[in-house]
Amino acid sequence: MYKKLLILTLVSCFLVGKASNELAAEETTVQGIMFSKTAANTYELLSDQKVFVLGSVSGSDESLDLVVQPTGRTFKLGSEGEYQFAFIAEKSMPHILRITSANSAQAIGIITIDSVIPVSVATPRNEANISLIKSPRMKRLAKDIEDNPEALAAFWQEVQETGTPLIETLGTDKALYTFLWRSENISSVELSWAVWKEDRTENLLAYLPGTDLWFKTLELPVDVAVSYKMAPGVSHLMKSDLASYRRLLNDFLQRDPLNPKYWKGESLFDSSSLLLGPKSKPLNWSIKKDNVPEGSIEHLQVKSGIMQNEREIALYRPAYAKGRSDIPLLFVFDGKRYLEDAATATTLDNLIAEGKIPPVAAVFVYNTVPTTRSVELPCNPNFVDFLADELLPVARASLPEAADSKAIITAGSSFGGLASTCANYFRPETFKYVLSMSGAYWWSPAEGSPLFDEDSPAWALRAVAKNDCLADAYYFDAGALETGYGLSSIADASEALSAILKAKNCTTTYRTFSGGHDRYHWRETIAEGLIWLLSGEETWITKK
């Protein structure tokens, strides 16, 4: 591996439709890879071997994009100021890197090549053992191909018509689901889905020798619903270079091209495929409905002296709250994802219109940059003080309907679910209601943290157990597929926390849904949590 091999600097001036470029070198070769300037903002990469290219693009312009052809992948700089990218460069195939900017002002972009990793042609494939194939359909196909190679073409035609995953019912509450990938020119395919695996090799698809067929069969409930992506051709780095592998995996993940069901975006890389069991429940609250008045959204920038940063927030004002000043106020962590991907504003519109909850105002709390999420959300007393002492006054001043609200709810998933509990723990006089979806209660503070203790995991469980009921009500949920590791698992720890509170006669509930660690479910269960907290009614998932 070769570190910090090349820095290409581009200065682009977009003035009166005219662009000019300055590049440090017209032509640079790094370990068999040649970078050549071919046009304004455009560079050609040519390699004498198949390699992984890992790098970063950085700059001061949030609208800066790096587009890689022929894949068409776009890496967006965004507000973080830097974006790490990864792609495969095929042997002797020109690849085009093009920097673009929507701004008319001067923009500076820096491309840094961090690593060049040869792809070994000798990487062994995870070949299928026909005697161990779970799926009757796949076992029959393997036998048919032995007798008649044309059987594979007929199978792919069938898949084209039916889509994937293949579903075989078992006559019970379970079914077999087979994921498929079609290629004969790659060394691996990984399934990345909403279920955590300690050993990632368990997610690898098996290759049927002599074909272009990769497959993996899972036995799951008939009502399961999970989102997933696939990553072709990168998993051989899983053990040799885990840090590089994780970067590669993130940039190679794409939706299943054989599955017509997907959500979260339209592009191959931005969207996720959906596995929907034959008895899975359809989305309800997060889907726009006719004749439902829509609340309004206002975006603000909020500076924090406590956190020493600035962030965007979005304020939701319901359609039915005129003349009120005491309606409930909802804080939603990972606010951008919940506003855009999970359609939570639509959920609030529908719940209010159908009378399931009273009118509610909301603050969608955006993360500053992705790297600070794991610092701010897991039981950070400073972040909670920011919420209570700096953000809440902004919300009250901007949302007169909630200026005098006493019912303040904190809601989130994963680290956001943990944050909802710790907001109440640190400031119970302010945050009265907890809505936690798949909360990361396995978490414990690192050594050196003011919260550090020798016991682990599950710091929040132990902290809550030492106190009386701090919240007026607690709602917890988790996926049925998020279990199996004791207090280190999402479901087991969430259920244990609810049980601790119930033993103290606190108002609490714990629910399960047929899925994993997945916003596809949370976009609905946030509605269930609000209904239970604010009206006591349940509608969509199983009470436990």
Side-chain angles (χ1 to χ4, degrees):
M1 183 180 298
Y2 313 97
K3 292 289 185 181
K4 301 296 180 187
L5 297 174
L6 174 69
I7 297 180
L8 307 177
T9 303
L10 166 71
V11 178
S12 301
C13 300
F14 296 83
L15 300 174
V16 198
K18 185 178 180 179
S20 63
N21 297 311
E22 296 179 5
L23 194 60
E26 292 292 318
E27 188 174 284
T28 305
T29 302
V30 182
Q31 296 297 325
I33 296 183
M34 181 181 293
F35 293 84
S36 303
K37 176 182 174 182
T38 60
N41 302 320
T42 305
Y43 312 93
E44 183 180 271
L45 174 162
L46 190 64
S47 173
D48 62 359
Q49 59 182 317
K50 186 175 182 178
V51 293
F52 290 109
V53 179
L54 288 77
S56 63
V57 57
S58 60
S60 58
D61 178 6
E62 293 185 7
S63 68
L64 205 68
D65 292 344
L66 175 66
V67 181
V68 179
Q69 298 290 3
T71 65
R73 186 70 197 272
T74 299
F75 302 99
K76 294 184 175 295
L77 186 66
S79 60
E80 297 85 39
E82 180 175 286
Y83 189 96
Q84 294 182 324
F85 63 83
F87 62 90
I88 290 179
E90 299 289 344
K91 178 180 179 180
S92 302
M93 178 184 292
H95 287 69
I96 305 299
L97 286 72
R98 183 166 59 89
I99 295 179
T100 65
S101 173
N103 274 350
S104 58
Q106 187 181 64
I108 299 177
I110 300 175
I111 298 175
T112 304
I113 303 301
D114 295 322
S115 305
V116 177
I117 307 171
V119 178
S120 171
V121 295
T123 301
R125 289 169 166 171
N126 179 34
E127 294 192 353
N129 184 332
I130 295 177
S131 66
L132 299 179
I133 295 177
K134 294 180 181 180
S135 161
R137 179 68 183 91
M138 299 307 295
K139 186 171 286 191
R140 188 169 69 250
L141 173 65
K143 180 66 171 63
D144 290 345
I145 292 173
E146 288 181 356
D147 299 336
N148 175 21
E150 297 300 320
L152 182 59
F155 171 76
W156 283 126
Q157 180 60 40
E158 174 191 336
V159 169
Q160 203 65 34
E161 296 171 359
T162 61
T164 58
L166 304 182
I167 301 176
E168 298 169 274
T169 57
L170 299 174
T172 64
D173 59 352
K174 297 289 184 70
L176 295 177
Y177 301 86
T178 300
F179 300 84
L180 302 172
W181 190 271
R182 188 175 188 179
S183 177
E184 56 185 345
N185 298 318
I186 56 176
S187 59
S188 64
V189 183
E190 180 176 349
L191 169 68
S192 181
W193 62 315
V195 177
W196 185 77
K197 294 290 184 183
E198 189 171 16
D199 181 2
R200 294 197 70 102
T201 60
E202 294 183 32
N203 291 331
L204 293 178
L205 275 64
Y207 172 67
L208 192 61
T211 72
D212 58 359
L213 174 62
W214 298 77
F215 68 95
K216 182 172 185 60
T217 300
L218 298 172
E219 183 175 328
L220 299 169
V222 292
D223 62 347
V224 72
V226 293
S227 61
Y228 69 95
K229 289 187 174 186
M230 311 280 251
V234 296
S235 62
H236 72 280
L237 291 173
M238 195 179 288
K239 294 181 179 179
S240 62
D241 189 341
L242 187 58
S244 295
Y245 171 67
R246 286 172 175 163
R247 281 181 57 184
L248 283 165
L249 181 67
N250 183 59
D251 282 330
F252 279 82
L253 286 173
Q254 56 191 268
R255 75 167 184 255
D256 181 352
L258 300 173
N259 184 352
K261 302 183 182 73
Y262 62 91
W263 77 298
K264 281 197 314 183
E266 292 296 325
S267 78
L268 188 67
F269 292 96
D270 293 338
S271 55
S272 296
S273 296
L274 293 173
L275 162 60
L276 302 177
K279 294 187 178 180
S280 62
K281 296 177 174 67
L283 298 176
N284 179 22
W285 298 115
S286 58
I287 301 298
K288 282 186 178 291
K289 300 180 181 181
D290 294 336
N291 302 317
V292 171
E294 295 183 2
S296 62
I297 298 291
E298 179 185 4
H299 293 264
L300 298 177
Q301 291 293 127
V302 177
K303 291 183 178 181
S304 171
I306 296 173
M307 300 303 295
Q308 292 295 297
N309 60 23
E310 182 176 349
R311 79 185 65 234
E312 183 177 356
I313 65 168
L315 302 175
Y316 168 87
R317 178 177 287 109
Y320 292 115
K322 291 180 179 178
R324 298 280 300 275
S325 65
D326 60 349
I327 67 173
L329 180 59
L330 170 67
F331 281 74
V332 183
F333 301 118
D334 294 315
K336 182 178 177 66
R337 294 179 178 181
Y338 272 89
L339 189 61
E340 296 180 1
D341 295 343
T344 302
T346 296
T347 296
L348 294 174
D349 292 338
N350 289 332
L351 291 173
I352 295 167
E354 295 190 25
K356 296 297 184 181
I357 62 173
V360 171
V363 182
F364 292 87
V365 185
Y366 286 31
N367 302 317
T368 50
V369 296
T371 53
T372 61
R373 179 179 184 271
S374 60
V375 174
E376 292 184 340
L377 295 185
C379 298
N380 185 329
N382 292 331
F383 181 68
V384 176
D385 286 343
F386 155 69
L387 297 173
D389 299 332
E390 294 181 326
L391 187 53
L392 179 57
V394 171
R396 290 193 187 280
S398 303
L399 297 166
E401 299 88 345
D404 302 315
S405 177
K406 298 291 188 277
I408 301 179
I409 309 157
T410 49
S413 54
S414 195
F415 272 157
L418 178 63
S420 69
T421 303
C422 286
N424 166 255
Y425 176 77
F426 290 123
R427 299 293 292 267
E429 75 285 358
T430 300
F431 303 111
K432 298 289 190 179
Y433 295 86
V434 173
L435 197 166
S436 172
M437 301 167 287
S438 298
Y441 296 111
W442 50 264
W443 175 88
S444 281
E447 190 171 353
S449 165
L451 303 179
F452 177 75
D453 58 28
E454 296 295 337
D455 299 323
S456 63
W459 180 88
L461 269 73
R462 291 179 277 110
V464 169
K466 297 173 185 176
N467 288 272
D468 295 328
C469 305
L470 297 177
D472 288 358
Y474 302 84
Y475 169 93
F476 303 95
D477 70 36
L481 302 180
E482 295 187 277
T483 189
Y485 298 94
L487 291 183
S488 293
S489 76
I490 296 288
D492 295 346
S494 297
E495 185 172 16
L497 180 53
S498 184
I500 290 170
L501 292 166
K502 189 166 289 187
K504 296 174 178 288
N505 294 318
C506 303
T507 302
T508 183
T509 190
Y510 171 72
R511 314 275 186 86
T512 59
F513 53 84
S514 190
H517 204 67
D518 200 337
R519 199 171 296 108
Y520 182 76
H521 272 282
W522 302 331
R523 65 184 289 173
E524 290 288 320
T525 64
I526 192 171
E528 299 306 315
L530 289 170
I531 291 171
W532 187 84
L533 288 170
L534 298 178
S535 73
E537 184 181 347
E538 56 183 328
T539 60
W540 194 72
I541 54 178
T542 306
K543 186 174 182 180
K544 190 169 183 179

